Amino acid sequence: MDDTRTGPMDDTRTGPMDDTRTGPMDDTRTGPMVVACIRITDLRPQIEPLSGTVVREPWSTGLSPADAAALEYSFRIAEAWSGHVVVITAAPPSADAVLRDARALGATVLRIAVGSPSSDQAYVDELGSDERAMAGMIVAALAPLGRPSLVVCGDRSSDRGTGALPAFLAHELGAAQALGLVAIATTDQESMVVAERRLDGGWRERLHVPCPAVCSVEGAGVRLRRASLTATLATQRTEIPQVTAAGGPGAIRGAGSVGPAEVAVGSVRPFRPRTRVVPGPDSDDPRLRLLALTGALVAHDPPTVVGPIDAAGAADALLTFLIRHGYLDTEPVGEEAAHEGTR
Amino acid sequence: MGKANMVPAASVSSDTPVFDAVVVGAGPAGSATALALARAGRSVVLVERGPFPGSKNVYGGVVYGRVLDDVVPEWWNEVPVERWVVRRSTMMMTGTQSVSVDYRSAAWGEAPYNGMTTVRSRFDNWLATKAVEAGAQLVTSTVATGLLRNAQGRIIGVRTDRDQGELRAKVVVACDGVNSFLAKEAGLMAPAQASHHTLGVKEVLDLPGHVIDERFGLRGDEGIDIEMLGCTRGIPGGGFLYTNSDTVSLGVVLSLTHLAEAKVRPEELIADLKNHPSIAPYLRGATLREYAAHLIPEGGYDTMPTMITDGMLVAGDAAAMTLAAGLWLEGVNFAIGSGLAAGRAVDRAIAAGDCSAKGLASYRSDLEGQFVLADHKRLRKAPHLVLSERIQQRYPGLICDLVDGMFTVTNPVPKQGGLRVTRSAAAKHGVKLRQLAADTVRALRVFG
Amino acid sequence: MSAAGGVLGSGHEVPGGIWRGISFEDRMSTVEFRVGERAHITVDSDVCRSCTTKACVTACPANLFAPTSEGGILFNYEECFECGTCYMVCNHEGAITWTYPDGGQGVVFHQG
């Protein structure tokens, strides 16, 4: 490498090899800044059953499903906004492999150097560390890159899932917060994203989140894209810029003294067909009623096996079945109606 | 940097090789190839389909590291070892009996050591890291899906499952394991034959290190490896047990064709073994940490694929380089040995400017000249003998009954003579003394 | 009693030995699988209907193949060891198509 750069102010490009990048590798860092704030851990650490010692292997570090989803949503939103993605993590150098993959996907990456939790005590100490201070450190490290329009985090990590960091980040940034989401989508305005969150009983609520905002997402619904081979090779030996743990809470704040904008809650109802009232058997003879209820002497359709088919085909088969047996009106409802109508 | 591993321009659409070599599979064979090539100053990309080297790999016993003497001086000081094997046991079993031949050597517990037990995720990572440190480029989570050929049909690289995923190189080295799709695609290997493969299933069981020490009579980093015969319900194969620092690995190796015919589930046979009166006491209180299964190419020398073609070499399991000859069960050392030889051959071919089969031919002669093919050639008949019906189904019981006849005190009935015991044990197991003598001669010919 | 049912000498005796007590699910739960979206195994059930041995059902160490009452084979691909046993023991050409899962997906052995 030509020189050793450590500050977040530096261009993260290192060396001439990056000049050959094409497509998603081009990060000129224009447009709104979307930050993926992720935790990189050993996804399947070994726990000695007797001593309880946790063994973490550097090569099996990776992204939890929630963090992978956070990264994928960051890319999707940055693409929609024609913006750029910054990936930040606080981790020991073993996280660099994952950061290089993010680099190959076109993100600017940044690692806040924290000690490697080599011993269990160090790990426990880290667990007990102040997440508010950590949020301050992250915000300070991001400050030289500009003001984030959106920060996306995973809602939990496999090794320490307090889920409090996004809230602290929102506080430090003076940003709105929407946590535990299952989906984030852009709207026609850049100052707003729409998000969905699970509620009890199959319900979901739809949130209108004004930017800047901090969102945390569940590890569901999306898969992290894969970098091209060319980009992966090009970033093989990229030095990951490091920021040493400095700064502190309040390094930067939201614009002005106004508090974060409020998240507006709309809602999305799940699709729930109405219960169908089935009349009881109409007979005075208990034996006949029982026969009617159990259907013991009625001829049945044999079970049909509808071979391995794709999701759309399966949905159609289910709908047809339900309509045929009177569980659904022949007039399908809502979006399905429109969909069915085009057939 | 500054070496040969500069990254090429993004979109090379011509047939121009971009790298000196592409090595497919970052197991011991692939990493050794990449290490040898990178040390020689060649640009080499090592493609691994798992998230990290070793994540798809399973072995069954002992890694013999002396093959590393020339490439990693004093490798024993840095290799991720679990235990150094100082005890080797061969156990002949029936359902309730066992006879062991047990060898122990203090010399095996000192540098340069004979064999070690290890964990493949650690060992394979260590070797791949050596290659990367030497200048190889390792790309993980990437499957080589096929071969690239030029208009004349010559192999010029591999296709991978990533975008812009073509890798053009002067030589492709296929170290893609027992199922080697690349060797099959290149026409070097016949379609898979169950009869040339065995299935290894293995359990890694948690057991505290000091308990292992006490039960197996070990100290510190000493380990034991036990090979077993007669524990697979008549399915040709065998069992193994070896100690790691605080786990014990135990498994069975089963002939695929006979397993399929027997309609027995593999884990049933592991359960049998764990319940055997000779094994169960070793494992009391052990809990399952990880279950694993892997195929082993076991056909030996006579079933090896063609290893060389224009622009491509095959090494390791992909070239059927495991020695599964009863007393010997080796594979990782052959993989490393063949990988190093492949690396040397590719380097020579590139230096000579001829990467055709002719230019790469020194690979074969190199292997023939050292243990890799010499051992396989010498023991070429061993797989057949070891997996034969009498060795598998009759002799373990015969030997157990022989020893039983010698040592069971039958007072007040007088002791029988040795010959008589032998004859009655042989008769019980349907073996004629003539066959016994013939098999002894055969064994002497094969192993002697 | 151990939760996993796998501790020797601590559980109730099951016929055939204590070790039979570990359920197949417990056994498979010790292995990490990163499940990809694409099924890397496909089975042509039409071919299977004419198969009398159905060797894949018992030989697969991950127990991924199940016979159906109609004589076909139902398969799973998620918890696959990627060993290759199924296509090698299959005696009908092309009934089982088997490839590697996509890069980074599939089984991850930590103790191999």
Side-chain angles (χ1 to χ4, degrees), chain A residues 17-314:
Chain A
M17 46 162 65
D18 285 24
D19 294 339
T20 58
R21 289 172 306 160
T22 54
M25 291 283 292
D26 279 325
D27 62 333
T28 35
R29 288 223 301 257
T30 54
M33 169 168 143
V34 179
V35 176
C37 179
I38 55 179
R39 180 165 175 87
I40 299 169
T41 56
D42 185 341
L43 297 176
R44 211 170 156 109
Q46 208 52 247
I47 297 150
E48 304 297 337
L50 288 172
S51 59
T53 312
V54 184
V55 183
R56 292 165 212 86
E57 305 284 9
W59 60 80
S60 82
T61 53
L63 291 178
S64 69
D67 283 315
L71 192 48
E72 177 59 29
Y73 276 119
S74 305
F75 282 117
R76 289 187 185 185
I77 289 163
E79 270 163 19
W81 284 348
S82 309
H84 66 279
V85 175
V86 175
V87 175
I88 188 164
T89 185
S94 58
D96 283 0
V98 177
L99 289 174
R100 280 192 195 98
D101 289 346
R103 183 85 193 81
L105 286 167
T108 305
V109 297
L110 198 56
R111 178 166 63 78
I112 299 176
V114 296
S116 167
S118 46
S119 69
D120 261 37
Q121 192 49 49
Y123 187 74
V124 172
D125 290 346
E126 203 213 323
L127 267 183
S129 68
D130 184 353
E131 283 194 83
R132 182 166 181 191
M134 173 64 79
M137 235 145 55
I138 291 168
V139 169
L142 287 172
L145 299 176
R147 185 173 159 73
S149 299
L150 184 67
V151 179
V152 192
C153 311
D155 74 334
R156 70 197 66 187
S157 64
S158 51
D159 62 342
R160 52 178 299 196
T162 66
L165 186 73
F168 283 123
L169 275 177
H171 178 76
E172 291 293 329
L173 287 165
Q177 53 176 300
L179 309 182
L181 308 173
V182 286
I184 310 176
T186 51
T187 59
D188 25 3
Q189 333 159 22
E190 275 191 9
S191 57
M192 179 84 76
V193 290
V194 199
E196 262 181 43
R197 180 156 57 191
R198 273 188 237 270
L199 297 178
D200 286 348
W203 288 70
R204 288 190 177 191
E205 62 181 356
R206 182 165 286 175
L207 307 171
H208 295 271
V209 187
C211 296
V214 177
C215 295
S216 72
V217 293
E218 285 184 25
V222 288
R223 278 186 181 258
L224 181 58
R225 59 194 64 193
R226 296 175 71 193
S228 73
L229 186 65
T230 320
T232 309
L233 281 171
T235 49
Q236 276 276 299
R237 285 165 198 263
T238 304
E239 291 281 330
I240 300 298
Q242 264 189 60
V243 195
T244 34
I252 73 160
R253 287 276 175 188
S257 53
V258 211
E262 293 280 316
V263 172
V265 181
S267 74
V268 185
R269 281 186 58 185
F271 173 66
R272 287 261 179 87
R274 286 181 194 281
T275 15
R276 190 172 62 117
V277 181
V278 183
D282 189 21
S283 168
D284 290 335
D285 184 350
R287 183 179 158 274
L288 291 179
R289 280 207 304 274
L290 194 66
L291 279 176
L293 275 174
T294 56
L297 299 178
V298 186
H300 287 281
D301 291 344
T304 14
V305 177
V306 191
I309 44 177
D310 60 314

Side-chain angles (χ1 to χ4, degrees), chain C residues 45-51 54 67-73:
Chain C
S45 228
D46 290 338
V47 181
C48 299
R49 268 186 269 277
S50 64
C51 175
K54 296 201 171 38
T68 64
S69 57
E70 295 170 315
I73 291 283

Side-chain angles (χ1 to χ4, degrees), chain C residues 6-7 11 15 19 31 33 40-41 43 50 55-56 62 71 79 89 91 97 105:
Chain C
V7 180
W19 277 101
V31 193
F33 294 98
H40 65 282
I41 306 174
V43 178
S50 64
C56 55
E79 299 200 329
V89 299
N91 57 1
T97 318
Q105 308 294 342

Side-chain angles (χ1 to χ4, degrees), chain C:
Chain C
M1 271 305 289
S2 81
V7 180
L8 252 186
S10 66
H12 53 275
E13 300 279 334
V14 186
I18 317 149
W19 277 101
R20 314 272 181 214
I22 185 165
S23 74
F24 196 77
E25 286 69 27
D26 285 340
R27 173 181 295 280
M28 294 306 284
S29 74
T30 62
V31 193
E32 180 182 359
F33 294 98
R34 300 187 184 172
V35 180
E37 283 178 306
R38 183 182 66 89
H40 65 282
I41 306 174
T42 51
V43 178
D44 186 343
S45 228
D46 290 338
V47 181
C48 299
R49 268 186 269 277
S50 64
C51 175
T52 50
T53 55
K54 296 201 171 38
C56 55
V57 175
T58 46
C60 169
N63 205 4
L64 295 178
F65 300 89
T68 64
S69 57
E70 295 170 315
I73 291 283
L74 274 181
F75 67 97
N76 299 291
Y77 73 93
E78 291 85 351
E79 299 200 329
C80 172
F81 287 123
E82 297 157 38
C83 63
T85 298
C86 53
Y87 80 93
M88 286 204 193
V89 299
C90 180
N91 57 1
H92 284 67
E93 195 66 43
I96 298 178
T97 318
W98 190 88
T99 59
Y100 292 131
D102 294 338
Q105 308 294 342
V107 68
V108 179
F109 291 123
H110 292 266
Q111 304 294 322

Side-chain angles (χ1 to χ4, degrees), chain B residues 76-355:
Chain B
W76 51 85
N77 288 328
E78 49 172 303
V79 74
V81 60
E82 291 285 309
R83 287 171 183 262
W84 299 105
V85 175
V86 297
R87 248 186 99 184
R88 270 294 297 264
S89 252
T90 304
M91 204 184 259
M92 306 285 248
M93 314 166 97
T94 68
T96 52
Q97 306 157 289
S98 71
V99 175
S100 291
V101 178
D102 194 89
Y103 176 71
R104 185 173 189 132
S105 164
W108 286 1
E110 292 161 11
Y113 301 100
N114 180 53
M116 63 176 169
T117 61
T118 182
V119 174
R120 289 294 295 276
S121 58
R122 296 195 189 116
F123 181 83
D124 291 14
N125 255 288
W126 172 77
L127 200 58
T129 306
K130 287 271 152 212
V132 169
E133 282 166 3
Q137 283 191 283
L138 170 66
V139 185
T140 56
S141 298
T142 306
V143 183
T145 49
L147 295 166
L148 286 177
R149 292 174 186 269
N150 66 9
Q152 289 76 45
R154 187 187 179 284
I155 294 164
I156 53 162
V158 293
R159 210 177 305 115
T160 68
D161 70 341
R162 284 184 189 263
D163 277 352
Q164 303 167 26
E166 298 191 345
L167 280 171
R168 280 158 216 282
K170 291 173 185 158
V171 184
V172 173
V173 186
C175 306
D176 50 343
V178 57
N179 284 299
S180 186
F181 290 114
L182 292 186
K184 283 173 199 154
E185 189 185 333
L188 301 178
M189 200 187 205
Q193 266 185 291
S195 56
H196 295 157
H197 292 86
T198 53
L199 172 67
V201 283
K202 177 170 96 168
E203 287 186 359
V204 178
L205 301 156
D206 275 310
L207 208 56
H210 65 93
V211 176
I212 295 177
D213 289 351
E214 283 161 18
R215 291 193 188 164
F216 294 93
L218 304 167
R219 277 180 305 202
D221 56 5
E222 294 175 343
I224 183 175
D225 174 46
I226 307 176
E227 307 292 345
M228 293 161 245
L229 211 54
C231 56
T232 46
R233 296 195 200 170
I235 299 172
F240 61 85
L241 184 158
Y242 60 89
T243 54
N244 307 307
S245 16
D246 49 12
T247 52
V248 172
S249 300
L250 164 132
V252 289
V253 173
L254 307 159
S255 149
L256 263 193
T257 33
H258 292 83
L259 173 70
E261 279 164 20
K263 298 267 173 202
V264 181
R265 292 211 39 81
E267 70 274 6
E268 286 277 307
L269 296 165
I270 291 197
D272 277 2
L273 189 55
K274 288 203 294 202
N275 280 314
H276 193 281
S278 303
I279 299 297
Y282 285 137
L283 303 177
R284 199 182 317 114
T287 47
L288 182 60
R289 184 186 282 197
E290 191 175 84
Y291 179 51
H294 211 279
L295 282 189
I296 308 163
E298 209 157 285
Y301 187 80
D302 294 333
T303 65
M304 284 184 182
T306 315
M307 283 177 268
I308 306 166
T309 185
D310 291 342
M312 179 166 150
L313 293 181
V314 187
D317 270 12
M321 284 177 186
T322 57
L323 190 63
L327 301 176
W328 293 278
L329 275 173
E330 303 171 26
V332 174
N333 51 338
F334 289 110
I336 296 173
S338 63
L340 293 172
R344 286 190 295 266
V346 173
D347 178 43
R348 275 192 293 263
I350 291 171
D354 178 10
C355 294

